[in-house]
């Protein structure tokens, strides 16, 4: 309400309101999310160095493997992308520069002993913003990733989409909501279906070089927290 009043005041003074309207939109989006917060059992949280955060993900071999871009492709430099390799080691999902500064998600399939060409995922996923931290469930169609573009309530937010075999495309991604997402950076959502454990990373209230890894028990179906607006 205060933000709306301030925007009205700026409008009367014929001043630019765009920055405040964007902040208001984020606040309204976050408020809607709060009313649908998932009731999740967090069983552990570990603060680790941001540069080595994947070491805290103890997923089973049946759930595939996750790497940093530099470790997997034996490269150097400031490349924040991550790589997910399926259990059968025949598919890669990874984040790479799209020729500019932004990150997009790409897929490669193994053909005999060689990897095929990199194919960018469709525009419904890859936007003019950054998309990173892909992870695919064992069903082969459910993709989790993080984006700092439209639909985020601040920094990276975690999104989920599913591959549609009927039209060889992906469904419109959904923001997974709270408590996984926040006005900070939240990313690398992983579900180990064999051990019934999940992980996600967040830098909320952390020093610049640290990130907190939350370990949780995935719900079989989404259970909403009993929110009554207290």
């Amino acid at each position: 309400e205060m933000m709306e009043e301030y925007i009205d005041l700026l409008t009367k003074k014929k001043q630019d309101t765009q920055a405040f309207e964007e902040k208001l939109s984020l606040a309204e989006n976050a408020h809607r999310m709060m009313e649908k917060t998932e009731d999740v059992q967090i069983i552990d949280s570990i603060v680790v160095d941001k540069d080595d955060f994947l070491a805290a993900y103890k997923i089973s071999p049946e759930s595939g493997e996750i790497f940093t871009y530099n470790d997997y492709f034996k490269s150097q430099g400031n490349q924040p992308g991550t790589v997910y390799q399926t259990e059968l080691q025949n598919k890669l999902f990874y984040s790479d520069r799209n020729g500019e500064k932004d990150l997009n998600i790409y897929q490669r399939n193994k053909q005999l002993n060689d990897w095929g060409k990199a194919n960018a995922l469709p525009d419904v996923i890859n936007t003019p913003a950054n998309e990173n931290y892909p992870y695919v469930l064992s069903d082969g169609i459910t993709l989790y990733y993080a984006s700092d573009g439209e639909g985020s309530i601040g920094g990276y937010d975690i999104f989920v989409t599913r591959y549609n075999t009927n039209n060889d495309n992906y469904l419109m991604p959904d923001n997974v909501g709270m408590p996984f997402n926040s006005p900070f950076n939240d990313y690398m959502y992983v579900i180990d279906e064999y051990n019934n454990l999940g992980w996600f990373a967040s830098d909320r209230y952390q020093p610049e070089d640290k990130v907190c890894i939350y370990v949780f028990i995935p719900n079989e179906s989404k259970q909403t927290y009993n929110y009554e607006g207290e």
Side-chain angles (χ1 to χ4, degrees):
E1 290 174 353
M2 294 176 65
M3 185 74 74
E4 290 172 341
E5 290 177 6
Y6 188 61
I7 290 173
D8 288 341
L9 178 62
L10 291 178
T11 302
K12 292 176 182 177
K13 293 183 176 181
K14 298 182 178 180
Q15 296 183 14
D16 186 15
T17 62
Q18 180 178 352
F20 295 98
E21 288 175 347
E22 290 175 354
K23 292 180 182 294
L24 177 61
S25 178
L26 288 177
E28 290 173 338
N29 192 18
H31 183 263
R32 287 191 292 269
M33 280 191 193
M34 286 182 65
E35 296 180 341
K36 299 178 181 178
T37 299
E38 185 171 353
D39 190 356
V40 178
Q41 184 178 355
I42 304 290
I43 59 174
D44 202 359
S45 60
I46 313 157
V47 176
V48 298
D49 291 338
K50 186 177 292 186
D51 291 340
D52 192 34
F53 80 99
L54 287 181
Y57 286 69
K58 308 298 184 182
I59 66 176
S60 64
E62 294 84 357
S63 295
E65 297 178 90
I66 49 178
F67 309 85
T68 66
Y69 182 98
N70 286 340
D71 284 346
Y72 189 87
F73 290 106
K74 310 301 180 186
S75 60
Q76 297 181 347
N78 182 22
Q79 168 46 284
T82 61
V83 178
Y84 170 71
Q85 181 173 255
T86 60
E87 173 200 357
L88 297 177
Q89 301 182 358
N90 61 351
K91 285 187 179 182
L92 290 181
F93 293 83
Y94 64 98
S95 185
D96 198 0
R97 304 290 182 189
N98 60 8
E100 302 175 359
K101 65 178 182 178
D102 297 322
L103 293 164
N104 279 168
I105 297 175
Y106 296 81
Q107 178 182 342
R108 281 188 181 182
N109 296 328
K110 182 167 281 189
Q111 301 169 344
L112 298 179
N113 294 321
D114 297 322
W115 288 105
K117 69 175 184 177
N119 293 308
L121 296 190
D123 292 345
V124 71
I125 296 172
N126 286 327
T127 72
N130 291 294
E131 281 75 39
N132 198 355
Y133 310 105
Y135 180 79
V136 180
L137 293 185
S138 59
D139 62 12
I141 63 173
T142 304
L143 169 67
Y144 290 94
Y145 68 99
S147 173
D148 61 5
E150 186 176 354
S152 164
I153 58 173
Y156 274 112
D157 268 17
I158 300 163
F159 290 81
V160 61
T161 182
R162 289 171 178 82
Y163 179 69
N164 188 340
T165 57
N166 293 327
N167 60 9
D168 191 29
N169 205 338
Y170 283 85
L171 302 177
M172 182 64 65
D174 290 320
N175 188 307
V176 301
M178 297 180 179
F180 305 107
N181 291 323
S182 72
F184 299 87
N185 290 300
D186 308 285
Y187 50 93
M188 203 68 254
Y189 182 101
V190 169
I191 298 291
D192 183 340
E193 297 170 278
Y194 293 88
N195 291 322
N196 196 35
L197 288 175
W199 293 260
F200 72 99
S202 177
D203 64 6
R204 60 188 81 174
Y205 308 114
Q206 297 299 323
E208 185 175 351
D209 61 342
K210 299 290 185 179
V211 64
C212 186
I213 310 300
Y214 293 91
V215 187
F216 64 96
I217 298 177
N219 291 321
E220 292 185 7
S221 59
K222 186 171 182 177
Q223 303 173 30
T224 304
Y225 177 72
N226 184 19
Y227 175 81
E228 297 179 353
E230 293 93 342

